[in-house]
Amino acid sequence: MLDDLPPDLGRLLALRVWHAMWLQRIDDKIATVQRREAEQERGRQRRPTEPDWFVELGIGDGRPPIEVHAGGCYAAGKRRRPVARDEARRLLASGVQACSHCQPDTALDILDLPTRPALARTAH
């Protein structure tokens, strides 16, 4: 049997204290990581669901709607509010721009939106 431990009691006790200290540090770290992971999981479970539709809002007086997006669109800005399907359709029909990335007009089965001036100028 390999016996590489010191032969005297004093050094053996010192090694035991040292290893107990390290085990306590490791156990404390494990507990901290477990708490953090549990908090993150609770946060994921409590996160509100993404709305099916939302409108991106402009800046200034009244924060007018500027663009309609489908839920989960990566191209939307920070200023937004969720809207119901009917309101999204109404906004698009009234001339609010549809996002060119998530294409809510297509998802909402809107075939003919009002002509947008910026698009009409580039067509010529």
Side-chain angles (χ1 to χ4, degrees), residues 7 9 12 15 18 29 36 38-39 48 50 52 59 61 68 70 72 74 79 81-82 85 94 101 107 116 120:
L9 185 58
L12 286 170
L15 282 173
W18 187 82
K29 185 66 173 191
R36 184 180 327 126
E39 288 171 5
E50 181 77 29
D52 291 335
I59 57 175
D61 189 31
V68 176
Y74 64 89
R79 295 177 314 275
R81 72 174 168 84
R85 179 182 181 88
S94 70
H101 297 275
R116 296 180 206 135

Side-chain angles (χ1 to χ4, degrees), residues 6-114:
D8 58 298
L9 185 58
R11 287 190 290 175
L12 286 170
L13 290 173
L15 282 173
R16 183 163 190 340
V17 168
W18 187 82
H19 282 283
M21 176 195 70
W22 271 100
L23 280 175
Q24 185 60 50
R25 287 185 67 192
I26 292 169
D27 288 345
D28 292 345
K29 185 66 173 191
I30 288 171
T32 300
V33 170
Q34 287 174 332
R35 274 193 306 275
R36 184 180 327 126
E37 288 178 357
E39 288 171 5
Q40 289 172 343
E41 181 58 29
R42 278 193 303 275
R44 278 190 289 277
Q45 290 173 353
R46 292 179 181 167
R47 182 176 297 135
T49 59
E50 181 77 29
D52 291 335
W53 312 102
F54 60 91
V55 63
E56 186 174 350
L57 303 171
I59 57 175
D61 189 31
R63 295 173 51 145
I66 57 171
E67 197 168 49
V68 176
H69 296 270
C73 179
Y74 64 89
K78 301 264 186 229
R79 295 177 314 275
R80 58 173 91 171
R81 72 174 168 84
V83 293
R85 179 182 181 88
D86 290 340
E87 185 177 357
R89 291 176 61 86
R90 183 187 59 75
L91 287 167
L92 289 169
S94 70
V96 175
Q97 185 174 357
C99 174
S100 61
H101 297 275
C102 63
Q103 299 178 336
D105 49 344
T106 304
L108 289 166
D109 297 324
I110 298 175
L111 302 176
D112 54 344
L113 287 175

